[in-house]
Amino acid sequence: KKMKKKKTKSSPVAKRLNDLQRRAILPYIRLDGSVSNTKTVGDSINRFQTDPTCVVAILNITKACTGITLTSSCDMLFVEICHRADQLLQAEARCLRRGQASPVVNFAYLILNKSVEQTMFARVRLKMKNAAIVTDGASNANFGYKSGVVCV
């Protein structure tokens, strides 16, 4: 028997953003579980980095946290949350690299008010703060540099 390749589903929010982008006729790239070809990923990142008209990148956290550089970004809006602080920090760090185009990078997490994600995000932030206290002695650590939470 042939083994079927398991398809990774995109989040409903990412799908909706994709639909909105299509209607707005804004050039964008999309990297999520549906994109597995390394060449496609590389071409998409290159387009985002070099094409001044391509101003939107729709990424999921696991795709955005490893192996890509987004130094041409100035604002990042995360529409999904994961329970691992390291993945969130790595996803944020994708645009904070040598050669960064914008001197200010803003991060925001779009979270539904009174949802599981809101509780989960609060716990992740607490883990990050505790880790900073243990490793750096910093009690007022600011994660995500200029990050914020938008509850809707």
Side-chain angles (χ1 to χ4, degrees), residues 49-137:
Q49 290 289 94
T50 59
D51 182 354
T53 65
C54 185
V55 295
V56 175
I58 300 173
L59 314 164
N60 74 357
I61 294 286
T62 51
K63 276 283 190 200
C65 77
T66 55
I68 64 172
T69 299
L70 301 170
T71 54
S72 64
S73 358
C74 59
D75 298 306
M76 294 181 81
L77 174 63
F78 294 96
V79 295
E80 67 177 343
I81 303 298
C82 67
H83 66 281
R84 292 184 44 195
D86 63 318
Q87 286 186 334
L88 292 177
L89 289 172
Q90 281 297 316
E92 288 182 2
R94 295 301 96 199
C95 63
L96 299 170
R97 297 283 187 246
R98 187 173 296 168
Q100 179 180 332
S102 175
V104 177
V105 177
N106 299 299
F107 301 97
Y109 293 87
L110 185 63
I111 300 171
L112 188 61
N113 199 18
K114 297 180 183 176
S115 66
V116 173
E117 287 81 11
Q118 187 177 21
T119 304
M120 189 167 69
F121 189 69
R123 288 185 182 178
V124 169
R125 297 290 273 200
L126 181 61
K127 287 180 191 179
M128 292 162 64
K129 182 176 182 176
N130 289 340
I133 290 169
V134 169
T135 58
D136 302 329

